[in-house]
Amino acid sequence: MKSVRTSALACTAMLALAAQPANAAVDQYSVGGSAAVSIALDVCSAESQLAVRGDGGTDLDFVLRDPSGKEVRADQGIDDYLSTVIENPGGECATFALDVSNLGEEANDFTVVLEPITESSTRVEKFIIQGSETQNLAFKACGTGAQVSARGDGDTDLDFIIRNADGAVVHENADTTDETTAELAGLLSDCEKFEIEVSNLGEVYNALMLVVEPKGADTAPFGGTAPSTRLASGLTGTTRLAENEGPGEYRADANSSITVNLPVCGTRRLAVRGDGDTDLDFIVTDAVGETVHSDADLSDATYVTLNPGEACEAFALEVSNLGDVYNDFTVALDDPAGRGGASGPGEYRVNAQLATKVMLRVCSATRVSARGDGDTDLDFTVTDASGDTVHSDFDMTDQTSFTLDPGGECADFQMEVSNLGDVYNVLTVAFDGETNAAARPNSAQASSKPGAPTLAVRPSAPLPAGPLVGSGAGEYRADANQSVSVELALCEETYVSVVGDGDTDLDFVIRSSRDAEVHSDYDLTDVTFATLSPSGGCETFLLDVENLGDVYNVFTVSYAGASSAAAADVAANAEAVAVEVPADTASTDGNNRNIAILNQTGEALDFIYWSNSATLEWGADRLGDSYTLARGQQWNVNVSDGSSACLFDFKAVTASAREIQMTSINVCEVTSVAFE
């Protein structure tokens, strides 16, 4: 009875979802007998309908986890289907994980349907109501009215009470069946919250399907990025419990998983590192089975601090080997209070198309450099103890550098290194000594790209003022290794551009009439731009120009009103500062995705990235290997990627290695993106 009634309703729900393919992702996967797979669910809506249906041959268990790894829904019914609503507060793009375990001996081919929920969507959810149990289940009803249908699997009697947001009873059913139907009328148009109380009067569980069909709802389609699903990991071998427990060395066989019991007394730092040959995924659960840590990246290492609920607690570490050869991994439990000072420098091997993690412990502001052997491209992401990204580097090299400031006491950071090549890469991590985080004289130089003009280090002494050679707009000459000064008398906000003849490097400083520095430019070009705002009506500024070359340089000073600054931006010397990068694939939906990227940071931008907000990677540096975006410069680009997406994320890295990110920018509506 159970399989006939509930399976029919599950199939009906799935067909209803799949009937709207415009925004729905419909994908098929397979899980081997006694194996497990993890499906990544990429959603960009506040709510999404998820439906999973197996082939009926074996029992499948499901666990849904949010982006932080927290379990939000589990289904261990004796069947192979799931239907639930994924809530994603804020509606920004996020990745949930669906773990699917096959309890049978044969493979099970299952279908995953994922669709954004709008006001006119029918919501379908499956719940397991245990024997003699009462559950209160929250749901939403949209439109001016809604029909609510609740139907069990036929094995027990279910009683129902529906209450509105104020707690008032709007429907009751205490008959001897396990189903009910209610009409909700007079609803507000923006979706109302209800609660259905379900009491199972039997001794065995009952699989309940709850269907909420709106009436009179807004039928506007979903206008954001469509969801997608993908295989995150999968096992085809066995699952076993380790013979030993606690710290030590263990082996995870190919395409199999192993669980290690971890008795923990007092706060301990768990460190797990494999041999580098395969990708390992990790899940740590506490004594009651709640997930306290999960790690499903492409590395074979993980780190987490375990805090027992009592003086001692038994945790379980599940290690899944996703590779085709065995992986010998080491488990360590350290007392954080007994840990020493800085750690992390050394050599690390990163195998082809895999990743590793390096723990970086610093006790004062420290400059960190990471350099590969040159054979492949390495990508880097550095996070602090709370998981926030403090540095990332996705260029086409295998090296990076950055400064870590723990804020006065020792702190742990984690650097994830991904090898994008087809051979292994030996990474060397070094601490370049403690430094002053507020003054990093080599940071600009260290962040420059190979092949690009290297950014000059700002001199420790102020740029010397040279002889006054004139005033106002015009042409001036700076002799080799000499400085000159030009007076700039202004009575309104003015955009000033200074462009040399291209033969040498020029450095610039502009000072106000009170000798306060208002602009400086120490890069390796002979071009600068500044907007000057006189105080008190009119003011005379002083432009100091130093020629760092061995021949003279003839430079031109020109003015433009602030209102026309954008037009005068780089046109004065397009050859010297133009950035020419092909636009992405043009979109065909008629939306204009042409925007202006403005550098208002006060320094050059070494790297610029943008990508569809629904994607998980930044992709390549859009400036390429040969260009930087100078301070005050504007770059007109088309960010289309061939999709209908309007929400894009942007990131820039300045000459001083400062990272700036802006997320979910609607490029179909804005005309510019300013990095400040």
Side-chain angles (χ1 to χ4, degrees):
M1 188 69 173
K2 177 178 293 187
S3 62
V4 174
R5 289 187 60 198
T6 318
S7 296
L9 187 55
C11 287
T12 301
M14 178 164 284
L15 289 172
L17 292 172
Q20 302 180 33
N23 289 313
V26 182
D27 299 298
Q28 291 186 332
Y29 300 96
S30 182
V31 55
S34 301
V37 295
S38 182
I39 308 298
L41 309 174
D42 300 321
V43 299
C44 294
S45 55
E47 293 181 297
S48 300
Q49 178 72 58
L50 170 66
V52 186
R53 176 69 183 172
D55 59 18
T58 65
D59 176 19
L60 299 182
D61 282 355
F62 306 94
V63 175
L64 178 66
R65 304 180 192 277
D66 67 13
S68 69
K70 179 181 178 181
E71 180 181 305
V72 293
R73 177 63 65 90
D75 187 327
Q76 297 177 337
I78 307 176
D79 49 48
D80 62 350
Y81 63 90
L82 169 73
S83 188
T84 189
V85 172
I86 298 177
E87 295 186 351
N88 177 31
E92 296 183 356
C93 294
T95 300
F96 288 73
L98 176 66
D99 299 331
V100 183
S101 300
N102 186 353
L103 305 188
E105 299 300 323
E106 299 179 353
N108 192 311
D109 297 329
F110 61 96
T111 301
V112 177
V113 179
L114 186 63
E115 183 181 14
I117 289 180
T118 63
E119 284 194 19
S120 60
S121 298
T122 297
R123 300 162 184 262
V124 183
E125 294 197 76
K126 175 192 171 190
F127 300 95
I128 299 295
I129 314 298
Q130 297 296 335
S132 302
E133 179 187 51
T134 296
Q135 287 192 31
N136 293 304
L137 311 173
F139 66 92
K140 288 182 181 179
C142 302
T144 58
Q147 177 175 294
V148 180
S149 300
R151 174 178 293 182
D153 58 26
D155 284 349
T156 67
D157 176 17
L158 299 180
D159 285 352
F160 305 91
I161 300 175
I162 299 179
R163 297 181 177 90
N164 62 19
D166 297 326
V169 175
V170 297
H171 175 76
E172 285 186 271
N173 187 328
D175 61 19
T176 58
T177 71
D178 64 348
E179 59 185 83
T180 192
T181 301
E183 294 288 342
L184 303 179
L187 303 182
L188 300 177
S189 60
D190 56 350
C191 300
E192 290 190 40
K193 295 182 179 180
F194 291 84
E195 182 179 84
I196 182 170
E197 178 183 304
V198 184
S199 298
N200 186 350
L201 305 186
E203 299 299 323
V204 297
Y205 83 81
N206 194 310
L208 172 74
M209 298 296 291
L210 180 65
V211 180
V212 182
E213 183 179 359
K215 297 181 179 180
D218 185 356
T219 58
F222 177 69
T225 302
S228 62
T229 78
R230 51 194 166 81
L231 183 65
S233 64
L235 304 178
T236 58
T238 61
T239 298
R240 65 185 177 92
L241 178 66
E243 296 180 358
N244 300 323
E245 63 180 25
E249 291 189 355
Y250 299 88
R251 172 170 290 187
D253 292 327
N255 293 295
S256 299
S257 68
I258 180 173
T259 298
V260 180
N261 288 327
L262 303 175
V264 176
C265 296
T267 300
R268 291 294 184 268
R269 179 77 171 175
L270 171 65
V272 187
R273 179 173 290 278
D275 58 20
D277 287 342
T278 67
D279 175 20
L280 298 181
D281 284 353
F282 306 91
I283 297 176
V284 181
T285 54
D286 61 16
V288 297
E290 292 290 332
T291 299
V292 297
H293 174 71
S294 64
D295 187 336
D297 58 21
L298 292 179
S299 77
D300 64 346
T302 195
Y303 306 91
V304 65
T305 298
L306 301 179
N307 295 293
E310 303 292 338
C312 296
E313 185 174 355
F315 292 85
L317 167 67
E318 180 183 335
V319 182
S320 300
N321 182 357
L322 306 188
D324 295 326
V325 297
Y326 68 81
N327 191 310
D328 289 331
F329 63 94
T330 301
V331 177
L333 286 169
D334 299 323
D335 184 355
R339 300 177 66 196
S343 62
E347 284 193 351
Y348 302 85
R349 173 167 169 156
V350 192
N351 279 352
Q353 300 295 325
L354 289 175
T356 193
K357 294 190 184 75
V358 179
M359 289 304 301
L360 305 173
R361 183 174 177 83
V362 299
C363 298
S364 61
T366 303
R367 188 72 178 171
V368 182
S369 63
R371 182 182 296 271
D373 59 20
D375 287 342
T376 67
D377 175 21
L378 298 180
D379 282 353
F380 304 86
T381 301
V382 183
T383 54
D384 61 17
S386 63
D388 294 330
T389 299
V390 297
H391 173 76
S392 61
D393 187 334
F394 301 105
D395 62 16
M396 301 297 290
T397 72
D398 65 346
Q399 54 189 279
T400 193
S401 60
F402 48 92
T403 296
L404 297 178
D405 187 354
E409 59 184 17
C410 294
D412 293 315
F413 297 82
Q414 178 175 282
M415 178 170 67
E416 181 176 340
V417 185
S418 301
N419 183 355
L420 306 187
D422 295 325
V423 296
Y424 72 82
N425 193 312
V426 177
L427 173 74
T428 300
V429 178
F431 288 175
D432 296 337
E434 298 178 350
T435 183
N436 180 355
R440 307 172 192 148
N442 295 319
S443 61
Q445 190 174 24
S447 65
S448 299
K449 307 173 193 174
T454 304
L455 297 171
V457 178
R458 179 180 178 128
S460 57
L463 187 67
L468 187 65
V469 295
S471 63
E475 279 192 353
Y476 302 94
R477 171 170 166 160
D479 288 330
N481 296 296
Q482 298 296 317
S483 297
V484 295
S485 297
V486 178
E487 287 185 339
L488 309 175
L490 306 175
C491 293
E492 64 176 353
E493 185 175 72
T494 304
Y495 187 77
V496 178
S497 64
V498 186
V499 179
D501 59 18
D503 288 341
T504 67
D505 174 23
L506 298 181
D507 282 354
F508 307 91
V509 170
I510 302 178
R511 296 182 174 88
S512 70
S513 58
R514 297 172 300 282
D515 201 33
E517 183 178 306
V518 296
H519 175 76
S520 61
D521 188 335
Y522 296 98
D523 62 17
L524 292 186
T525 72
D526 62 349
V527 178
T528 196
F529 308 93
T531 298
L532 302 180
S533 301
S535 60
C538 295
E539 185 175 1
T540 298
F541 297 83
L542 188 66
L543 167 66
D544 298 326
V545 182
E546 182 179 15
N547 184 355
L548 305 184
D550 294 327
V551 296
Y552 69 82
N553 190 311
V554 176
F555 62 93
T556 302
V557 178
S558 58
Y559 294 163
S563 61
S564 59
D569 176 13
V570 291
N573 190 3
E575 181 178 355
V577 298
V579 181
E580 299 177 359
V581 179
D584 283 351
T585 305
S587 294
T588 58
D589 61 357
N591 284 318
N592 183 356
R593 294 174 177 81
N594 295 316
I595 64 169
I597 295 179
L598 309 175
N599 180 5
Q600 299 176 357
T601 62
E603 55 183 319
L605 296 181
D606 280 1
F607 305 92
I608 296 178
Y609 307 88
W610 65 74
S611 64
N612 185 327
S613 295
T615 62
L616 302 179
E617 301 294 339
W618 282 108
D621 169 31
R622 302 293 181 151
L623 287 172
D625 293 336
S626 303
Y627 299 103
T628 60
L629 191 64
R631 60 197 304 172
Q633 186 175 344
Q634 172 180 319
W635 182 23
N636 297 321
V637 298
N638 185 305
V639 300
S640 298
D641 63 356
S643 72
S644 60
C646 288
L647 297 182
F648 278 72
D649 299 336
F650 293 83
K651 182 176 79 167
V653 182
T654 69
S656 63
R658 180 168 64 96
E659 292 188 7
I660 307 167
Q661 293 191 26
M662 291 177 285
T663 60
S664 300
I665 303 299
N666 191 330
V667 298
C668 299
E669 296 180 357
V670 304
T671 58
S672 64
V673 173
F675 289 104
E676 300 178 345

